Amino acid sequence: MDHEIRVLTQKEELADYARIAFDAYPGFGMDDASQLQAYLEKIAEKSPSVRPLGAFRDGTLTGGMLVYDYSMNYRGKFIPVAGVGLVAVDLLRKKEHVCKDLVTAFIHESMERGRPLTLLYPFRPDFYYKMGYGYGAPLYEYRVRTDNFITGSSKEGLGHATSEHREEIVRCYNQMAERTHGMIRRSETDMGRILAKKGHHTIVVRENGEVSGYVVFKFESAHKSNFVANDLAIVERMDNTPQARERLNTFIGGQRDQCAHVVYRTFDAEEYHRLTDPRDPSGDLVPDVYHAGYRGAVGLMYRVGDIVGFFREAELPAPKHWKGLALEITDSLLSDEPLSGVLTEESGLLKFVTPRSGQGLPTVRLGVQALSSLLMGALSPGKALKDSLVRADSHEAEKEFMKICGAMEKPQCWTSF
């Protein structure tokens, strides 16, 4: 790595980073780099969980990134993780390994700070896959008729809300995060930004005086020349009780006179079973007679950097009758040689121990990408073996490997960064 990576603190450095990021992401829709600069300066001053880092070569800033400290639900336990976003490279420094050096430094720094798992939204999935990031769960976007949401429930407890209600709304969100694998805890400040965004509307459900569900939505034009034709696009929705779910459906279904369709996103691969008509407006058929109903998208990627530290933080229960399994993990970004160790049991929990001889134990070989996806539950052991993402040296190795992460729910993450 031939860059110096350090925190950006000076206004001049933040201005340079803002210019670089503004050029790298023209689709942000900002008028000029000064808006982004003001945002970065505010982060540097008031957001201890977010840090702007820059890459310097010969004293000149060549790129930058924002590093986020998060607490993520991992199978019912919150563990420290790190996210990276707004990775940007100076237009004159493309193909000079700036991004690679930034992300490599981010992974190492996260490991040193006790955050063994890192997350990112890829601008190019193939680029980050080569850097050891594994794919998370796909997101499904539906555009269905509003009639799908009509219920017989009453409107009791429904009400408008604004960013002034962020405390009780974020409490509702974090209650969902406490029981959902992959979700990240959110602060009142984070929630306030979502609620206050231009064009966003918020409806809440209250039960016994507390918010038990909410929906943040916006209206999107559905016709080029008809200004009264709109779709209702759901930005975020949480419902912690069956009653909250019914009440919100009643509200959404009640908008059918103004909005013919509802656009929303879900991680639930079986969502179409809930809908009376899952077809989208395209009318397309996939041969022979399969109706187009949603589109799937690959997004958030995960990477285990410190494997020993991850198993220590995760506290994964050891499967019954665990005999031990030797792992050889290829991580070409951090090491030229595979990392060898033994997945063993200590006090009823799985631990990855290295160095320890795996001689005589069944062995599997895999890349850190597959390992990361497996541990997050985004990839099943059977699929990994079938597609040779994991190679086992014996039938015994396959049997032991299949005991790991086999029934884990897929991760859900609603945090953007």
Side-chain angles (χ1 to χ4, degrees), residues 390-407:
V390 173
R391 297 183 182 275
D393 70 351
S394 64
H395 180 62
E396 186 67 21
E398 289 186 4
K399 284 174 56 180
E400 290 299 289
F401 180 73
M402 287 292 290
K403 297 177 183 178
I404 307 172
C405 307

Side-chain angles (χ1 to χ4, degrees), residues 18 21-32 35-36 39 66 85-88 197 417:
F22 182 78
D23 289 342
Y25 300 101
F28 273 175
M30 292 184 176
D31 295 330
D32 55 55
Q35 291 177 271
L36 187 54
Y39 170 68
L66 293 179
L86 204 64
V87 180
K197 192 170 181 179
F417 51 90

